[in-house]
Structures are given as structure tokens and as C-alpha cells.
Amino acid sequence: MVEERMGDCWSYTKDQFDNLEKHTQWGIEFVEKYTKFVKERSEIETNYAKQIRNLSKKYQPKKNSREEEESKYTFCRAFLTTLNELNDYAGQHEVIAENLTSQIITELSRYLQELKAERKSHFHDGRKAQQHIESSWKQLESCKRRFERDCKEADRAQQYFEKMDADINVTKADVEKARQQAQMRHQMAADSKSDYSAYLQKFNQEQNEHYYTVIPNIFQKLQDMEEKRIDRIGVCMKTFADVDRQVLPIVGKCLDGMTKAAESIEPKTDSKQVVESYKSGFEPPGDVEFEDYGQAMKRTASDTSLSNSRDVKEKPKEKSKGKLWPFIKNKNKLSLKLGSGPEDFSHLPPEQRRKKLQGKIDELNKDIQKEMDQRDALTKMKDVYVKNPQMGDPASVDPRLSEIGQNIEKLQFEVQKFEGWLAEVEERMPSKSDTHRRSGLYETQNNTTVSNNCAQDRERPLSSPDGSYTEEQNSETQVKANINPIPPTSTTPEFDDEFDDEEALPTIGTCKALYPFEGHNEGTISVAEGELLYVIEEDKGDGWTRVRRNEDEEGYVPTSYVEVFLETNAKGAMTYI
């Protein structure tokens, strides 16, 4: 009965270990499954953010396109704001993916290794304890069987001695030998009994310790391990929700920005902008006079009508064609494409022609200011050379000064020419003072809006390398912008890529990179420390220098990152002192 009970107990303990092994293995597989789930969620967030960013980039207005011109309308600016906010919204989903990876996936991957090692250690201790008690039981069984065998041998030796002692035919020596043999067997049985008793006491003590101390401790460790695993899964599930909750305020701000952009749309302002952009300045034609059937039809026309914009020396038959109401499309007369039509923009309606002439005058005034700035800089450099001949030859600056003087004279002549055409147009326009005052006020407001937009969206100085300015910006604003350019912000500088279509600029010197520059932003170029490059446009006060590596690679680098060596005789070279 004892042997059967002991066998059942060991079988039960072994079964429990088998069950616990299966359960803990399933727990580890569950952690692995949950880790895989979070990893796939992180990948979804990353791909979603990437698709949202691509969508935002796809619909961003392109440089030198009609979409850029449309940015003056409030609904276009609202859409651009929505795209920018959507880009920030995508960034929050990238944050979710990063936090899921760092706070859950990485932690669970490390914890899994610890959990597997701990589980392996506990079951190793359990198997070791089980093997030890089974070995002790086998030794106890061996002692018991030896004691049983010795007892039987002692009984047989005793019976043999009694039989020999009762037999009268047996010699006394044989009887004595049988008696000694029986005594020896009894002594062996007594020794076996003593060994069996001692080992039995030892086994009972080990067995008691095994079932009441060792095994319960191992089970308790396994239980603690399981509870810790379950608690860790719970914490990760809570973190899974918190990662989303942490970005909700920023996501809300992005959505608020989209709502605010939509609310900023002003239909009346946009319609006024359309009127201002396309109004022709023509007066409506006068009433048609009644004429007899036998006479050619005549029409009274205003001084500023389309018919008067034609050559006054044309024959009467040709005048009838010029008196057509200007709403009739005429591609040759109303073409607004750059470069099409004569230099004085006479092919345009009066109001559009006035704007084009004013924009051309502003552009020329800006070029004059740039030339004057270069002349001032060269004059200062010449004064330095005069005072310090070792720094350079003062005479080397004279050719460039002469060339700049000639350029200024040419530009001033061009300004006078366009101002004459502008005065001619304004004289022909009806109520020109009121119209000009109204349009000037509108242009000022529009320029303020555009300038504010540019300050937010573009961090290049107003005096960009290609000289591109807002077409309707007045000359005073342009001169001030040229004198005090807005320096590029160091966070995310962006550059106009309009110089891509320009002719290759001449080299005005060389430079050596003092520090490495990554050049991730548009319009910049990456350089390595110690690299030699060609300078094609010097720093204009905005902190950036335009360089070229080869025929196809050119861009801007921070002036403080390079050491510039200018060629004093190079065309376009200038120095700010």
C-alpha cells in the first residue's frame, strides 16, 4: 500500500510539472503573439503616415506654376494650410509607431528572453528535485530488500542449526559451525535492519521536505513568474492605449488648424481679387446711333475703348473691327503670357498693362538697388586697399566699378522708358487717380498678405538669387526688402528652386568647407569637411553662399561653414564690409 501511494504521489507531481510546462509555454507564446500584434500595428501606422505625407506633398503647389499664382486666393491658402496640417498629422502617426516600438515591442522582446530563462531555471530545479527524491526512494527500496533478504537468510541458518543440533549423528564440530553461521546471519540481519531504519528516517525527512518545501517553492516561483507575465501584458495593453492618447492633443490642434483655415476663406475678398486681376480698364461702348440702311453702321466709342487703342490712322473700314466689345476673345491682343507681345505691353488691356509696367519698373528699381549696393561694397573695399596696399591692388576694382556704373545708367534709362509708357497709360485711363488709389490700396493689402505667407512658408530672404519678387509689390517695399533681407530660419530652411531654369552662373571664387553640412533641405547641397567647391554667388547678407561642385550639382551652404576665396576680377564678385 505504501509503495502504491508513493508511486501515485510521484506520478501526480510529474503530471503537475507537465501541465505547468505546457501552461507556461503557452504564456510565452501569448507574449510573442501580442508582440507581433503591436509590431504589425506599428507598421500600419508607419505606412499610413507615409501615405499621408505623400498625399500632402503631391498636392503642394509647385514652383513657377499657375498654382503658385493662385496662392493669393483665400481658399487656396486655406487648402495649403490644410495640407501642412495634414503633414503634421502624419507626423503624429509616426510618433505613435515610434512609441509602440520603443515602449512595447523593444521592452517585450527583452522581457521574453528573461521570461524564457527564468522558466527554464525553475523547471530545471523541479526536475532535479524530482530526480533526487526518486533516487532516494530507490536507495530505500534497496535497503529494505537487503534487510528482507538478510532476515530470510538468518531464518534459514537458524533452522539449519536447530536441525543439525537435533541430529545425533552430526559431529559437534558441524553443529558449532552451523551455530556460528546462524549467529553471523542474525548479525547481518540486525545490521541491515539498522541501516534500513536509518535510511528510512532520512528518506521520510527528505520526502517531507520535498513535498512541503522544495516543490511548493518551485510552484510558488512559477506562479510568481506567471503573475508577473500577466501583469506585464496588462501594462503593455495600457501603454498601447496611452500611446494613442498622448498624441490626441496635437492631432486636435492639427484638426483645429484645418477648421480655422476653412473659416478664414473669404469669398468676397477672392472675388475682388479676380476682378482686380482681370479688369481691363476699358469703358463700355456708347449707344449705337440710328442710321439709314444705305449708310455704314457707326458706333460712338469712348476715348479709352479698345477701338482707340488701335492705330488712329487706320481706315474707317478697319475701325469697325477694332470697335468690337473687348469680351470677345482675341488671343493675339489679350495674350498674358510672359514674353509674348511687345516690350511696352501694348497688347494688354489698360489696367493689365499698367500693372505689368509698374511691376517692370519695380523690378528695375530693385536691380538698380542691387548694383548700387555692389558699388558701395566695392568702394569700401577699394578704400581698404588704398589704406592697406598689402591686401590688394586698388586699381583692380576700377573695371568692376566702371561696369557697375554703366549697368546703373542702362537700368535708369530702362526705368525712364517704362515710366513714360506708364504715364501714357495712366493719362488715357478714366478717373485714373481714384482707380490708381483704389488699386494701390488693394495691392498694398494683397502684398502684405502675400508677404506674410512667404514669411511663413519660405525662409529665404526676399532678395532671392533669381531676383523673383511679387509682381504687384511696390518699389518702396522692394527696396526695403532688399536692404533688410529676412535671414533664413535655422530650423527648417527652404529655398526657391527657381534658379534651376537659369543659365549657369560664372565662377567668382572658391571655398573650403570648414565643417560638414548635410544639406537635407531643398535648395541646399551637402559638403564634407575640407571639400573644395566653386563659389557662384556670394552671401548677400542672408547667411548663405551659393556654390557648385560640378555642372549638375549646385546649391546653398551656410556662409559660416565655409572659408571663401573670391577672385577680385571676377564678374559679380562683391564684398560686404
Side-chain angles (χ1 to χ4, degrees):
M1 291 294 294
V2 174
E3 293 179 2
E4 183 179 354
R5 184 179 64 82
M6 291 299 297
D8 292 343
C9 186
W10 289 336
S11 176
Y12 172 76
T13 303
K14 184 176 181 181
D15 290 343
Q16 291 303 311
F17 269 105
D18 291 341
N19 292 333
L20 288 176
E21 276 190 312
K22 293 177 181 179
H23 179 77
T24 52
Q25 179 62 31
W26 173 80
I28 289 176
E29 292 173 355
F30 182 85
V31 175
E32 292 174 341
K33 180 173 71 174
Y34 183 76
T35 304
K36 183 180 179 181
F37 159 74
V38 178
K39 187 179 296 184
E40 290 183 3
R41 162 72 191 282
S42 176
E43 292 174 354
I44 290 174
E45 293 291 342
T46 302
N47 293 332
Y48 178 68
K50 183 179 180 181
Q51 291 176 356
I52 291 293
R53 283 195 184 278
N54 290 339
L55 179 66
S56 175
K57 184 178 180 181
K58 177 181 178 181
Y59 284 92
Q60 287 283 347
K62 299 176 176 59
K63 304 295 181 181
N64 297 328
S65 68
R66 187 171 182 272
E67 293 181 6
E68 188 176 30
E69 296 176 3
E70 292 173 351
S71 63
K72 60 188 176 184
Y73 299 109
T74 58
F75 63 89
C76 291
R77 292 199 296 270
F79 180 55
L80 179 60
T81 301
T82 300
L83 292 177
N84 293 334
E85 294 292 351
L86 191 64
N87 192 60
D88 295 340
Y89 174 82
Q92 297 312 305
H93 284 275
E94 291 176 346
V95 171
I96 292 176
E98 292 173 0
N99 290 341
L100 288 177
T101 300
S102 62
Q103 298 180 24
I104 297 181
I105 298 174
T106 303
E107 292 296 324
L108 282 184
S109 298
R110 182 168 56 249
Y111 175 67
L112 269 172
Q113 301 301 322
E114 298 174 357
L115 182 63
K116 290 178 180 179
E118 183 180 1
R119 173 180 176 275
K120 183 178 180 180
S121 175
H122 293 332
F123 282 106
H124 175 75
D125 293 342
R127 284 191 292 270
K128 186 177 179 181
Q130 190 72 14
Q131 291 174 358
H132 176 73
I133 196 67
E134 289 178 0
S135 176
S136 296
W137 170 254
K138 290 179 181 179
Q139 291 182 6
L140 176 64
E141 284 290 310
S142 177
C143 289
K144 185 176 71 171
R145 286 194 297 270
R146 185 168 63 250
F147 171 59
E148 182 182 8
R149 186 177 63 251
D150 290 345
C151 287
K152 289 180 180 179
E153 291 292 333
D155 289 340
R156 285 197 295 270
Q158 181 66 29
Q159 291 174 5
Y160 180 73
F161 165 69
E162 291 175 354
K163 181 180 178 180
M164 294 292 288
D165 188 40
D167 191 352
I168 58 175
N169 296 322
V170 178
T171 61
K172 189 176 181 179
D174 292 336
V175 172
E176 183 63 22
K177 183 177 179 181
R179 185 181 65 79
Q180 291 179 356
Q181 185 70 21
Q183 288 180 350
M184 182 183 70
R185 291 294 181 182
H186 280 294
Q187 184 62 39
M188 291 177 64
D191 292 342
S192 297
K193 181 180 180 180
S194 177
D195 292 342
Y196 172 64
S197 176
Y199 203 85
L200 179 62
Q201 184 178 1
K202 178 183 177 184
F203 173 78
N204 287 334
Q205 183 179 356
E206 290 180 350
Q207 180 180 248
N208 184 71
E209 183 178 0
H210 176 79
Y211 285 103
Y212 289 95
T213 303
V214 176
I215 295 300
N217 285 342
I218 293 174
F219 285 168
Q220 184 62 44
K221 290 178 180 179
L222 289 171
Q223 181 178 345
D224 293 342
M225 180 189 73
E226 274 295 289
E227 291 176 356
K228 188 185 299 182
R229 176 188 65 82
I230 296 171
D231 180 69
R232 194 66 170 266
I233 287 292
V235 171
C236 290
M237 289 182 177
K238 183 175 181 296
T239 304
F240 184 83
D242 290 340
V243 165
D244 261 355
R245 188 175 291 108
Q246 289 170 1
V247 303
L248 288 181
I250 304 178
V251 170
K253 289 182 179 180
C254 294
L255 299 178
D256 291 342
M258 296 180 189
T259 303
K260 186 176 180 181
E263 293 172 350
S264 68
I265 296 176
E266 300 176 357
K268 291 187 178 298
T269 302
D270 289 343
S271 63
K272 289 179 181 178
Q273 188 78 328
V274 175
V275 172
E276 190 67 23
S277 298
Y278 297 108
K279 67 180 180 180
S280 64
F282 290 124
E283 283 188 354
D287 295 336
V288 179
E289 296 179 357
F290 176 78
E291 295 183 9
D292 293 337
Y293 288 107
Q295 298 179 359
M297 181 175 288
K298 296 181 181 180
R299 178 179 298 176
T300 59
S302 62
D303 293 339
T304 57
S305 65
L306 182 61
S307 61
N308 288 340
S309 66
R310 305 281 300 255
D311 190 354
V312 296
K313 296 182 180 180
E314 289 180 339
K315 297 180 180 180
K317 292 183 180 179
E318 296 177 351
K319 277 190 175 182
S320 61
K321 295 182 179 179
K323 291 180 180 179
L324 293 175
W325 179 239
F327 292 160
I328 299 176
K329 295 182 179 180
N330 190 330
K331 294 183 180 180
N332 294 329
K333 289 183 173 292
L334 302 180
S335 176
L336 298 179
K337 294 182 179 180
L338 293 177
S340 62
E343 184 182 10
D344 60 354
F345 304 107
S346 59
H347 63 293
L348 297 176
E351 180 64 21
Q352 301 298 322
R353 183 186 180 192
R354 185 189 66 78
K355 289 183 179 181
K356 287 290 185 180
L357 291 173
Q358 185 63 54
K360 187 67 175 180
I361 292 172
D362 293 341
E363 183 179 349
L364 291 172
N365 285 331
K366 179 202 66 175
D367 293 338
I368 290 174
Q369 186 62 42
K370 289 173 64 177
E371 294 290 338
M372 292 174 66
D373 290 341
Q374 291 188 28
R375 183 180 63 185
D376 293 342
L378 289 174
T379 303
K380 291 180 181 180
M381 184 172 66
K382 182 177 179 180
D383 293 340
V384 173
Y385 288 169
V386 171
K387 295 178 182 179
N388 302 284
Q390 67 276 9
M391 296 184 66
D393 183 11
S396 62
V397 185
D398 292 338
R400 179 57 181 161
L401 285 174
S402 177
E403 181 183 354
I404 291 176
Q406 295 175 3
N407 292 340
I408 292 176
E409 290 179 0
K410 292 179 181 178
L411 291 172
Q412 289 175 344
F413 174 77
E414 290 291 320
V415 169
Q416 293 175 1
K417 181 172 63 174
F418 281 95
E419 285 178 346
W421 287 331
L422 179 62
E424 179 185 350
V425 172
E426 291 178 344
E427 288 175 0
R428 293 183 178 180
M429 291 182 63
S431 60
K432 68 174 181 180
S433 58
D434 295 338
T435 305
H436 184 65
R437 182 161 58 250
R438 289 196 301 269
S439 64
L441 175 61
Y442 191 84
E443 287 172 7
T444 303
Q445 294 174 348
N446 184 47
N447 287 336
T448 303
T449 305
V450 174
S451 298
N452 291 337
N453 263 352
C454 292
Q456 294 174 0
D457 299 337
R458 301 169 64 186
E459 298 168 299
R460 283 288 310 285
L462 292 179
S463 54
S464 58
D466 58 355
S468 58
Y469 277 70
T470 305
E471 184 179 282
E472 298 177 7
Q473 191 174 13
N474 58 55
S475 58
E476 182 181 354
T477 305
Q478 289 184 348
V479 171
K480 289 181 178 180
N482 193 35
I483 295 174
N484 299 313
I486 300 174
T489 308
S490 59
T491 53
T492 55
E494 298 179 2
F495 296 87
D496 289 335
D497 57 354
E498 296 174 355
F499 59 80
D500 289 342
D501 296 330
E502 294 179 353
E503 295 182 359
L505 295 176
T507 300
I508 62 173
T510 59
C511 68
K512 179 181 179 181
L514 302 177
Y515 314 100
F517 177 63
E518 297 295 337
H520 293 306
N521 297 304
E522 185 179 1
T524 62
I525 184 173
S526 60
V527 295
E529 183 178 354
E531 185 178 3
L532 294 177
L533 302 164
Y534 294 101
V535 178
I536 58 176
E537 187 173 330
E538 198 185 19
D539 186 357
K540 297 180 180 180
D542 57 357
W544 297 88
T545 299
R546 189 170 171 184
V547 300
R548 177 186 296 140
R549 179 177 287 112
N550 51 48
E551 293 181 0
D552 298 326
E553 282 188 88
E554 64 180 53
Y556 288 89
V557 296
T559 305
S560 58
Y561 278 49
V562 295
E563 183 179 4
V564 180
F565 307 94
L566 290 179
E567 299 174 6
T568 55
N569 293 328
K571 183 177 181 180
M574 60 178 180
T575 304
Y576 287 86
I577 301 176

